[in-house]
């Protein structure tokens, strides 16, 4: 029995057919040894609905959802449980989905997308009855992050901006966001100028293309999926002038955006050498 913001969902037997409406939700299922029957497309997926880091673990072809959940497609998959705790579903969506199978929504008092990667893994594992497996993998990933931070004491206390360029509109992710948190777990902090722009509960802040000064930091990491940022004002930033800027590849951007048991190790393999450089 799992409580959440829409009520209580009861799972009466270990589920085998799992529908995930969460963005990037397939990763934790595959990490726990479960083949999903429904996945929701987001960004960075290959033709089978998962990122490069997860393709080898996907041995079946789930139904792939684009945009808003398609209730008929979900019902056709005959799921035993529906995971939707990082999906943005409404109370009305929950009511419809509950007629298909038990639905696991975000916990009471939490937003649609503010669960961290550990919390998402634990919630998925609890619904599947595989909590021990999840804790083993969470502990291993925490140990890896701690070892990387210990190997680089020079990173501790340095600042890092995680910036984005969406259709020419710049901005940055704030400490609550999973992308910024990945750098914080390596020792970096969000610059005070960016934190000063944050409103309560915000995950990101928009910036003016004419003034990117709040991004100034010891390290700037650009996240996106459509190539280098198109921001002429970048050249005025000291981090750019001094070679302390990383433009993430589409795959690295997607892996950080998913931040899962499978994508974070993939992201660290690629990000850490670039930070070192």
């Amino acid at each position: 029995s799992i409580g959440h913001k829409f009520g209580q969902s009861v799972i009466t037997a270990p589920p085998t057919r799992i529908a995930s409406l969460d963005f990037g939700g397939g990763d934790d299922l595959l990490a726990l040894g479960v083949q999903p029957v429904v996945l929701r497309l987001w960004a960075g997926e290959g033709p089978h609905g998962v990122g490069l880091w997860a393709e080898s673990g996907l041995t079946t072809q789930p139904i792939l959802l684009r945009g808003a959940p398609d209730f008929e497609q979900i019902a056709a998959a005959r799921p035993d449980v529906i995971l939707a705790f990082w999906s943005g579903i409404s109370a009305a969506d929950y009511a419809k989905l509950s007629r298909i199978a038990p639905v696991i929504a975000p916990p009471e008092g939490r937003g649609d997308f503010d669960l961290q990667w550990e919390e998402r893994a634990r919630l998925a594992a609890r619904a599947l009855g595989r909590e021990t497996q999840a804790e083993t993998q969470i502990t291993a990933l925490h140990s890896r992050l701690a070892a990387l931070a210990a190997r680089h004491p020079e990173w501790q206390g340095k600042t890092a901006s995680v910036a984005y360029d969406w259709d020419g509109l710049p901005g940055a992710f704030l400490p609550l966001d999973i992308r910024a948190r990945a750098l914080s777990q390596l020792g970096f902090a969000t610059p005070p100028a960016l934190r000063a722009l944050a409103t309560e509960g915000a995950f990101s802040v928009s910036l003016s293309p004419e003034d990117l000064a709040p991004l100034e930091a010891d390290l700037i990491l650009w996240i996106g999926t459509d190539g280098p940022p198109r921001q002429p004002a970048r050249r005025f930033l000291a981090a750019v002038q001094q070679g302390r800027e990383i433009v993430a590849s589409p795959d690295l951007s997607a892996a950080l955006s998913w931040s899962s048991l499978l994508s974070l190790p993939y992201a660290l393999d690629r990000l850490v050498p670039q930070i070192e450089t």
Side-chain angles (χ1 to χ4, degrees):
S1 181
I2 300 178
H4 48 74
K5 69 178 183 179
F6 297 130
Q8 202 87 2
S9 295
V10 178
I11 303 170
T12 57
T16 58
R17 298 184 62 81
I18 317 300
S20 175
L21 307 191
D22 296 323
F23 296 107
D27 279 18
D28 289 337
L29 298 181
L30 293 173
L32 296 171
V34 174
Q35 297 293 316
V37 297
V38 174
L39 288 180
R40 186 146 176 215
L41 295 175
W42 182 24
E45 300 96 338
H48 305 295
V50 296
L52 285 175
W53 50 87
E55 283 186 346
S56 63
L58 186 68
T59 59
T60 60
Q61 181 55 63
I63 292 173
L64 302 180
L65 303 178
R66 298 178 184 273
D70 184 313
F71 301 106
E72 290 186 3
Q73 283 189 296
I74 297 166
R78 299 179 290 107
D80 300 321
V81 67
I82 300 170
L83 304 185
F85 43 78
W86 218 61
S87 67
I89 64 166
S90 66
D93 293 333
Y94 172 79
K96 290 181 181 179
L97 292 167
S98 295
R99 297 172 63 185
I100 300 171
V103 181
I104 311 304
E108 183 68 44
R110 301 298 295 273
D112 287 330
F113 302 106
D114 64 0
L115 295 179
Q116 298 297 335
W117 64 266
E118 301 97 327
E119 296 174 297
R120 286 182 281 132
R122 287 182 175 122
L123 201 49
R126 185 177 174 199
L128 302 176
R130 303 194 179 202
E131 292 164 286
T132 300
Q133 287 176 253
E135 287 304 323
T136 298
Q137 294 184 54
I138 290 169
T139 298
L141 195 40
H142 276 164
S143 296
R144 182 178 180 190
L145 286 161
L148 287 169
R151 199 170 80 203
H152 291 284
E154 72 277 12
W155 293 353
Q156 309 308 307
K158 291 287 195 298
T159 56
S161 297
V162 184
Y164 61 80
D165 177 347
W166 289 340
D167 295 326
L169 299 176
F173 295 106
L174 298 169
L176 285 177
D177 188 82
I178 54 176
R179 284 149 284 217
R181 184 165 180 255
L183 283 174
S184 74
Q185 290 180 301
L186 294 174
F188 293 92
T190 301
L194 280 181
R195 292 201 304 269
L197 299 175
T199 57
E200 185 176 357
F203 295 90
S204 64
V205 59
S206 298
L207 299 173
S208 166
E210 289 77 32
D211 182 14
L212 300 181
L215 294 179
E216 195 65 82
D218 295 305
L219 171 71
I220 299 177
L221 170 64
W222 287 91
I223 295 287
T225 56
D226 58 352
R230 294 160 290 179
Q231 297 298 325
R234 281 168 60 208
R235 67 182 186 273
F236 300 119
L237 297 171
V240 175
Q241 296 168 358
Q242 298 169 16
R244 292 181 280 107
E245 177 192 50
I246 296 171
V247 178
S249 68
D251 289 333
L252 174 55
S253 293
L256 286 170
S257 297
W258 289 41
S259 283
S260 68
L261 292 176
L262 293 183
S263 76
L264 267 178
Y266 178 95
L268 292 172
D269 286 345
R270 286 149 184 81
L271 177 61
V272 168
Q274 294 186 63
I275 299 175
E276 290 171 340
T277 298

